[in-house]
């Protein structure tokens, strides 16, 4: 479930800029290979970023403390955010973004639908 959440963060970064097949490949690589490695680094007692890791000589690897990830949100958002950043950099900006011609192509969203989205998010947040 957490790996899937990291993959959905990437979807917002590359929205409308990549093909669905490319996003699926990206998601499979992220959830199968990258996310489990990062999780091991932080959550495992033997992970090098863990607050509980000590070397054979009894010293901590990261000076006085490591990463303590409460409820897993740090690893999820860090992995998804970095993967989204890399994807956005690799793909580049949306077509027409930042050009005079693009201002005519990129139209604003509906205020009614934006308000509806905010209400749905609020209800989901408070319900959670």
């Amino acid at each position: 479930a957490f790996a899937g959440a990291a993959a959905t963060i990437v979807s917002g970064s590359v929205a409308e800029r990549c093909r669905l097949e490319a996003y699926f490949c990206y998601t499979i690589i992220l959830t199968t290979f990258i996310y489990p490695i990062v999780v091991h680094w932080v959550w495992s007692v033997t992970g090098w970023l863990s607050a509980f890791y000590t070397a054979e000589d009894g010293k901590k690897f990261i000076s006085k403390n490591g990463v303590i990830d409460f409820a897993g949100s740090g690893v999820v958002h860090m992995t998804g955010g970095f993967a989204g950043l890399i994807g956005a950099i690799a793909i580049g900006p949306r077509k027409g973004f930042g050009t005079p011609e693009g201002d005519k192509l990129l139209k604003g969203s509906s205020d009614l639908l934006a308000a509806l989205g905010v209400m749905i998010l609020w209800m989901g947040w408070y319900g959670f």
Side-chain angles (χ1 to χ4, degrees), residues 28-88:
I28 289 169
I29 291 169
L30 179 69
T31 57
T32 307
F33 301 109
I34 298 170
Y35 186 78
I37 292 170
V38 176
V39 165
H40 173 74
W41 289 346
V42 176
W43 291 350
S44 174
V45 178
T46 60
W48 68 276
L49 286 174
S50 175
F52 311 108
Y53 175 74
T54 54
E56 294 175 3
D57 59 0
K59 294 183 180 178
K60 291 196 176 278
F61 185 72
I62 298 180
S63 185
K64 297 184 189 222
N65 57 356
V67 177
I68 298 177
D69 185 21
F70 296 106
S73 65
V75 173
V76 170
H77 288 89
M78 178 189 66
T79 307
F82 280 131
L85 176 66
I86 291 168

